[in-house]
Amino acid sequence: MGLFDFFKKKPQAPAEPVIEKKAEPRNLKSGLVAELPISVADAESYLATLKSAAGDELVWEKCDEAGEIWQSRFPSGVAYQKVYLCPGADKNPMTAPLGFTL
């Protein structure tokens, strides 16, 4: 490459900006209110993965015939939180409602 070859190159168009697609922010009430249920494929297997925020095991009680409202309890019987689910998804989510861990 000669001294002046640098100036002979054709200018290139600027590269397209890279736009990172960020995950949609999760609504903090998802699964905790009837208006924002969590879509699940299998309610019982999803609930079996949920633990309290402190990591404690939970026992689940179905509150309605459709299996959309579930009450969590500690093994001692003390109530923890209700969770609202919507059956019919292709797979269970990999996230937990606020106040729970997987």
Side-chain angles (χ1 to χ4, degrees):
M1 179 179 210
L3 181 61
F4 295 104
D5 289 341
F6 174 77
F7 296 106
K8 293 179 184 176
K9 288 185 179 180
K10 294 182 182 179
Q12 294 180 348
E16 291 289 323
V18 177
I19 300 172
E20 290 184 32
K21 184 171 180 166
K22 295 184 179 178
E24 291 290 321
R26 183 172 59 134
N27 189 313
L28 296 179
K29 292 185 178 184
S30 291
L32 302 179
V33 294
E35 297 79 24
L36 294 170
I38 296 174
S39 295
V40 296
D42 180 19
E44 291 181 13
S45 66
Y46 175 67
L47 295 172
T49 65
L50 293 181
K51 296 180 178 7
S52 73
D56 300 311
E57 295 290 328
L58 297 169
V59 177
W60 294 93
E61 176 184 324
K62 195 182 321 183
C63 297
D64 67 337
E65 301 233 354
E68 296 178 353
I69 305 171
W70 293 78
Q71 175 67 54
S72 61
R73 297 185 184 283
F74 293 105
S76 65
V78 175
Y80 185 57
Q81 290 188 54
K82 282 187 181 175
V83 173
Y84 296 84
L85 303 177
C86 180
D90 293 335
K91 61 182 181 175
N92 286 335
M94 300 300 295
T95 57
L98 190 63
F100 293 89
T101 60
L102 291 175

